[in-house]
Amino acid sequence: MTRCFDNESVGFFYNNSQKELTSYWRTKDVLVVTLGLTVSVIVLLTNLLVITAIIINRRFHYPIYYLLGNLAAADLFAGVAYMFLMFHTGPRTAGLSLRTWFIRQSLLDTSLTASVVNLLAIAVERHQTVFTMQLHSTMSNQRVVILICCIWVTALLLGLIPSYGWHCLCDLSKCSRMAPLYSRSYLIFWAISNLVIFLIMVVVYSHIFIYVKRKITHMSKHTSFHPRYKETMINLTKTVVIILMPPTHPGRCKGAAMLSVCH
């Protein structure tokens, strides 16, 4: 029978993966935690403002703004996840139970996946509005709610899978050095899944900008276009640019570096 090491300590798996595990606070650890807590607080406050503005302002009660509000909620969740990480990292890692370690990692993975999938949903929504020349989607509120629920179900599934079996507690040879309790196959699957979503977003936004560029070039050669048509095209382009501006989200720049620094 396969032996599982679910009664071992976190340090046991770090030693197995030959990943450094400190027992004292280094200058680097203090700086990372201080910066991480500061960024987390900023993320919490700024995204709370965004969500509040969308809720109280009736002008924002459209599908695109609901999706942007959900993106802010994903960023808010990321702020909570990183704050939890900052209180359970560095020398504290060695004292974590396996359950707490899995919770820490699942929060991070879920928040990043929710953000990436939500960005894809926004890209598809903007693609539909641009090509139908509508500033706001005709999607019903019920469909938006269903879409948002699907986003979070997807994120939770990808984030919680390791806690419920896709780990290396029963096969130490499959343990990853980056996340010593995770199976390498899971990390590869998670990374590829997010990469595929990102590539789809690139294709969608590229299609949008190529279409807009052609339309604007065509409009510049013909003076018979209605001013309303041109105004709509400009407004649609503005919304796409705003969405693509660098967001305040610690999880979107997490990657291997953050995982390796924050034990």
Side-chain angles (χ1 to χ4, degrees), residues 150-168:
C150 289
I151 290 171
W152 282 102
V153 168
T154 302
L156 286 171
L157 284 175
L158 285 178
L160 293 176
I161 283 176
S163 304
Y164 291 94
W166 203 346
H167 48 62
C168 64

Side-chain angles (χ1 to χ4, degrees), residues 167-231:
H167 48 62
C168 64
L169 301 188
C170 299
D171 191 348
L172 298 182
S173 64
K174 295 182 179 179
C175 289
S176 166
R177 190 175 189 278
M178 183 183 297
L181 277 71
Y182 276 4
S183 171
R184 286 190 297 272
S185 59
Y186 165 75
L187 289 178
I188 293 172
F189 168 78
W190 182 83
I192 291 177
S193 299
N194 282 276
L195 180 60
V196 169
I197 294 173
F198 176 77
L199 291 176
I200 294 174
M201 277 194 294
V202 171
V203 171
V204 171
Y205 280 121
S206 297
H207 194 200
I208 290 174
F209 279 109
I210 291 172
Y211 175 79
V212 171
K213 184 178 179 181
R214 287 177 180 174
K215 281 293 183 181
I216 292 177
T217 303
H218 191 59
M219 283 190 295
S220 64
K221 295 178 181 179
H222 299 80
T223 57
S224 59
F225 279 94
H226 195 280
R228 185 76 175 177
Y229 182 94
K230 185 176 181 179
E231 181 183 354

Side-chain angles (χ1 to χ4, degrees), residues 108-129:
L108 295 173
D109 296 341
T110 300
S111 65
L112 181 58
T113 303
S115 178
V116 172
V117 176
N118 201 96
L119 283 171
L120 176 60
I122 292 174
V124 173
E125 192 275 345
R126 286 293 86 186
H127 186 276
Q128 185 265 330
T129 53

